[in-house]
Amino acid sequence: MRLAPPARPSMLPISSRALRGLAASAVLALPVVIAACGDGGGDPPTAVVTPPPAPPPTAQIAPAVRGYVDTALLFTEQVYYYGDTVDWRAKRTRTFARAGAAQLFRQAHPAIDTAIRELGDPHSFFYPPGQTLGNREDPSGPLYTPTATVIAPRIGYLWLTSFGGRNPAGRADTLQRLIARTDSATDACGWIIDQRANIGGFWPVMLVGIAPLVTEGRVGGFVERDPFWRYFYFLRDGAAGLVFPDERTRRLDSTVFLRQASSYRLRRPNPPVAILQGRFTASAGEIVVMAFKDSTRTVRTFGGPTSGVTTQPYTYRLADTASIQVTASIMFDRRGRDYAGRSIPPDETVSGPGVSGSFTSAFQPATRDPVVDAAIAWLQAQPGCRASADVPASADGVPMGRWLPTRGPAGVLPDGRWPRRGTPWTAAPTPAWTGWAALTLH
């Protein structure tokens, strides 16, 4: 059966400009990154790949540039999940024709960009060096800045937005401190996680940042076309990483991508959680939604269908730090259910800002609107919010509402330490291939 990529969603800016920056900031690119999740919420900004002056028509493409273009094409052909829908021989011919007699890497950028766009895949992009995730900071402004508050009596609220910047450990720490501050300000019996503008990014940041609200363990994963290559996202003891198959031993191995030195423990563990989602909830934002598909917890989602990029892209950094992000696998939630690379429907459809339309310039996170109000009403009807405000005793004798040290070194996995096993980290021998040292899971 020939698999076809899901349709690229028609994504308007959040306001007249708001999501143009968001779409370029969704994934942190460490060397070769499997980060969930790139810029799934919409097309990247237009007119960012500007062709430099053309070389003289009598020149031939420089050997280094030929290898550069060949590497980009080989990577794309090897990992693209829907690769059997592509005539790779014809694509190679077209791409080299467009590259012409390029003498510089940047002169080949438009040809590579067009090759990726031709896939018609909503989770596959080309980024020039200045837009490669990890090479620049995220945009500023309320839509891009996490915040938390007491939104209603005993109801905590967290605005969880995208992250693709240079300090993942700092962002994870910020998120946990926002949760801790809100938890200490009220005896929160329930929580709202508002993801209506979370178009994705470095998923370990989000999982570690909201660790006080998530049940630890395997929270989801992704699988390539060959089902042997089945990976699991995990959250445990203040750390997020991957469980992955070892091709040599045929057993599962694991690695930590991000760990905090300490992790906050809520005053009331495992509270009911309301997730707010909509058309801009994409990629890593959708991983967060899937992490709460937990039969042991009281969770409900409100709003509209997510963006529909429940696919895991692999990202390759080229020699000049430009990068290619290509859909390589299909995500599944913590119960093992996949969504065929498409949207996750809400449990309760509610119209409001960022659900089916754009945000207006007047929108401010952490304020009441119909989607927030529906979540508050549901949370206040839960037994824990109707009961006494007395804080329950800890089962293990450790006081709640405090920071607990984690085990293992804190920080981000260094470049060059990503797993190198299996399809995502094994390349076919070729003189043009520069190796997978630059591959990242985003």
Side-chain angles (χ1 to χ4, degrees):
M1 182 178 74
R2 288 168 65 85
L3 300 173
R8 181 183 291 272
S10 173
M11 303 300 290
L12 299 175
I14 284 178
S15 60
S16 56
R17 293 187 201 157
L19 260 192
R20 296 177 85 163
L22 256 182
S25 70
V27 190
L28 172 69
L30 298 172
V32 169
V33 180
I34 296 180
C37 292
D39 307 335
D43 295 339
T46 58
V48 295
V49 182
T50 304
T58 56
Q60 293 184 338
I61 189 169
V65 180
R66 175 175 289 279
Y68 179 90
V69 175
D70 200 34
T71 294
L73 293 172
L74 286 167
F75 168 75
T76 304
E77 181 177 357
Q78 183 160 347
V79 307
Y80 186 45
Y81 187 81
Y82 306 103
D84 61 355
T85 67
V86 179
D87 182 339
W88 294 105
R89 185 187 298 272
K91 176 175 282 292
R92 173 174 294 274
T93 299
R94 289 194 306 272
T95 303
F96 274 104
R98 293 182 183 119
Q103 302 298 295
L104 303 171
F105 291 149
R106 62 190 177 93
Q107 292 174 327
H109 288 173
I112 298 172
D113 180 58
T114 300
I116 300 301
R117 287 177 181 272
E118 283 180 340
L119 298 175
D121 182 80
H123 219 174
S124 298
F125 301 113
F126 171 77
Y127 297 102
Q131 291 187 16
T132 287
L133 299 166
N135 280 1
R136 40 70 179 164
E137 295 297 348
D138 288 331
S140 59
L143 291 177
Y144 316 101
T145 305
T147 189
T149 190
V150 180
I151 196 79
R154 300 181 65 203
I155 304 297
Y157 170 100
L158 176 68
W159 175 258
L160 181 63
T161 188
S162 61
F163 177 81
R166 296 176 177 171
N167 186 7
R171 170 58 66 87
D173 183 68
T174 294
L175 289 170
Q176 287 218 18
R177 291 186 182 280
L178 286 170
I179 292 170
R181 185 185 67 191
T182 304
D183 192 45
S184 64
T186 184
D187 176 29
C189 60
W191 285 81
I192 296 172
I193 302 177
D194 194 340
Q195 289 209 109
R196 286 176 289 172
N198 185 357
I199 67 163
F202 193 33
W203 54 266
V205 167
M206 299 176 198
L207 292 181
V208 172
I210 65 171
L213 301 172
V214 184
T215 304
E216 291 190 343
R218 296 181 183 179
V219 300
F222 54 96
V223 60
E224 297 181 16
R225 283 184 293 179
D226 178 351
F228 173 78
W229 302 112
R230 187 177 182 88
Y231 304 77
F232 298 90
Y233 310 116
F234 74 81
L235 177 68
R236 183 174 58 248
D237 191 33
L242 273 183
V243 174
F244 56 91
D246 186 313
E247 186 174 25
R248 182 180 58 84
T249 65
R250 313 299 286 183
R251 297 179 180 177
L252 292 178
D253 200 349
S254 65
T255 192
V256 169
F257 290 167
L258 176 65
R259 186 193 303 275
Q260 294 294 93
S262 59
S263 188
Y264 183 72
R265 180 169 182 173
L266 293 173
R267 298 177 69 192
R268 292 177 176 269
N270 302 320
V273 174
I275 308 289
L276 311 190
Q277 62 180 58
R279 66 185 300 228
F280 299 115
T281 308
S283 196
E286 289 168 301
I287 290 176
V288 172
V289 174
M290 289 187 280
F292 280 95
K293 299 296 183 182
D294 183 351
S295 61
T296 70
R297 296 285 300 279
T298 302
V299 178
R300 190 167 180 81
T301 57
F302 297 82
T306 60
S307 177
V309 284
T310 52
T311 54
Q312 176 62 70
Y314 297 169
T315 302
Y316 189 89
R317 276 197 186 190
L318 294 162
D320 60 349
T321 76
S323 58
I324 309 164
Q325 175 182 304
V326 179
T327 290
S329 53
I330 297 293
M331 296 176 184
F332 53 86
D333 64 26
R334 69 186 303 153
R335 301 169 303 185
R337 176 187 174 184
D338 73 69
Y339 299 86
R342 292 173 169 80
S343 299
I344 305 171
D347 296 319
E348 184 172 329
T349 300
V350 185
S351 297
V355 173
S356 58
S358 298
F359 294 96
T360 67
S361 58
F363 176 81
Q364 290 292 323
T367 55
R368 301 285 288 263
D369 62 46
V371 190
V372 174
D373 288 344
I376 290 172
W378 174 76
L379 287 168
Q380 290 177 334
Q382 300 310 304
C385 289
R386 295 199 311 266
S388 164
D390 294 339
V391 177
S394 168
D396 57 9
V398 178
M400 293 176 283
R402 60 171 292 182
W403 292 87
L404 298 175
T406 61
R407 296 182 293 274
V412 181
L413 188 70
D415 291 3
R417 291 282 306 282
W418 296 80
R420 302 290 175 81
R421 300 139 171 100
T423 303
W425 301 281
T426 304
T430 167
W433 188 268
T434 59
W436 288 78
L439 179 65
T440 327
L441 181 56
H442 251 294

